[in-house]
Amino acid sequence: MSERPLSPHLQVYRLPLTALLSISHRITGVVLSLGLVLWVVFLMAVAQGGSHYALAQALLDSFLGRLLLWGWIYALFFHLCHGVRHLVWDTVHGLERDTLQFYGYVELAASALLTLGAMLAAWIGG
């Protein structure tokens, strides 16, 4: 029997950016689903009256609530940007090795800029 490993170990193998973005896209899909469940809970609190609404609003106004909300918004923009990237791939464009890496970084920058833009709009408007 050979002494060498049968496959590369995860500590020595580095996933390419496209694989990390693909995994992140799936994770953000789950995060968005969980966020929608929380949105329904919030709407139920609104429907149940003032005291329930006040509690839900207090939770959303807390630091943790705002952090979760902005994380959900980032997940939304990241999922959107990656979905647009998949639509471009469906037209058989941008599949070259060099462009995959470049547009991966563009996707990350675009989702961060969209989130910062939403934060700025909320800060100016509210």
Side-chain angles (χ1 to χ4, degrees):
M1 185 126 184
S2 175
E3 298 276 333
R4 59 187 189 146
L6 297 177
S7 62
H9 194 270
L10 289 176
Q11 292 175 338
V12 256
Y13 182 70
R14 185 172 159 215
L15 289 173
L17 180 63
T18 52
L20 293 172
L21 292 175
S22 177
I23 293 165
S24 300
H25 184 246
R26 291 181 174 111
I27 291 170
T28 56
V30 171
V31 168
L32 290 173
S33 298
L34 294 174
L36 286 176
V37 170
L38 291 176
W39 175 248
V40 169
V41 169
F42 180 76
L43 289 177
M44 289 172 56
V46 169
Q48 289 181 351
S51 63
H52 291 93
Y53 172 75
L55 176 63
Q57 189 63 39
L59 290 173
L60 280 179
D61 281 339
S62 69
F63 176 75
L64 181 61
R66 288 180 184 255
L67 186 67
L68 289 173
L69 183 62
W70 284 112
W72 188 81
I73 290 171
Y74 176 75
L76 178 68
F77 284 132
F78 177 81
H79 204 77
L80 172 75
C81 291
H82 197 79
V84 168
R85 190 172 181 203
H86 272 276
L87 287 175
V88 171
W89 285 348
D90 287 345
T91 65
V92 194
H93 289 87
L95 296 173
E96 298 79 25
R97 187 175 298 243
D98 298 340
T99 58
L100 285 173
Q101 185 89 0
F102 174 74
Y103 286 118
Y105 288 118
V106 168
E107 174 186 333
L108 289 171
S111 59
L113 287 174
L114 285 168
T115 304
L116 290 174
M119 284 179 157
L120 183 63
W123 182 66
I124 289 173

